Amino acid sequence: ASDHIKVEINVNWRERFTVWTGLVGSSASGKSPTMNAALRPIAAIQSQAFELYERQKQEYEARKRKAKKGDDFDEEPPICQRYLTHNATIEALTELERQTDHGLGLIHDELSALIAAMDGTYKEKSGGERGHWLALYDGGPHTTDRIGRGSVFVKNHSASILGGITLDKLRGLVASMSA
């Protein structure tokens, strides 16, 4: 879901490259192994980013301890570069997006859980989150204002999504949406 990569439809029309993919199959049909194989390269990059972050965090903590008490230590803590997240809520995803402008990959082994979050069944919400989730597809700047969290500005509110769902659950979701 990169803001840096755009598909050119014609000279006047460019779109962000965002892919939402749902693998549909019966239980034990190989959805998860297929997703894992597709994710292997980006998962390796994410793993390297976590390792780098852990080293930087240890070095930061050592410098912070070394600073004399009473001295101002105004160095910013390191931030882990994120490429993937699994089963994130919209609030958590927005916080991750604040730290990156290249978008994120959102992985849901069970897409029905993501769809439930969109419909508001997560935390018994009223269903007002669907628009926030759907805005991820278009990408671009996004501001969310909440009393508890305050204002959160994201340069590129965008995520590619990969997940799996069984045909029975998909049928049930479609039936409930059309009811």
Side-chain angles (χ1 to χ4, degrees), residues 21-27 29-31 35 111 163-171:
T21 305
L23 302 179
V24 181
S26 61
S27 294
S29 64
K31 297 182 300 289
M35 290 191 311
L111 276 178
I165 189 166
T166 63
L167 189 55
D168 290 341
K169 284 190 179 181
L170 182 60
R171 282 185 183 129

Side-chain angles (χ1 to χ4, degrees), residues 44-172:
I45 293 169
Q46 182 65 78
S47 181
Q48 291 171 350
F50 276 128
E51 290 170 11
L52 175 63
Y53 168 71
E54 286 300 322
R55 284 193 307 272
Q56 290 173 337
K57 188 170 84 171
Q58 289 173 358
E59 293 166 2
Y60 168 83
E61 292 296 333
R63 287 190 302 276
K64 188 174 176 181
R65 282 190 304 275
K66 204 174 196 180
K68 295 181 182 178
K69 302 253 187 209
D71 283 351
D72 287 336
F73 184 78
D74 59 356
E75 183 180 332
E76 291 290 323
I79 295 173
C80 182
Q81 187 67 255
R82 296 296 299 271
Y83 300 95
L84 294 173
T85 186
H86 291 75
N87 303 323
T89 63
I90 194 70
E91 297 90 354
L93 189 62
T94 303
E95 288 299 319
L96 290 173
E97 289 177 311
R98 290 175 68 181
Q99 301 170 9
T100 182
D101 63 350
H102 59 250
L104 291 165
L106 177 61
I107 312 307
H108 267 269
D109 277 336
E110 199 43 72
L111 276 178
S112 60
L114 174 60
I115 295 166
M118 287 182 186
D119 283 339
T121 53
Y122 171 76
K123 291 199 265 186
E124 299 177 14
K125 293 186 178 180
S126 64
E129 292 196 5
R130 184 181 293 191
H132 295 289
W133 282 104
L134 295 178
L136 286 170
Y137 188 79
D138 291 332
H142 185 78
T143 304
T144 303
D145 298 301
R146 297 287 184 268
I147 291 174
R149 291 175 60 206
S151 295
V152 177
F153 174 75
V154 174
K155 287 187 275 185
N156 181 27
H157 183 61
S158 180
S160 288
I161 298 174
L162 174 61
I165 189 166
T166 63
L167 189 55
D168 290 341
K169 284 190 179 181
L170 182 60
R171 282 185 183 129

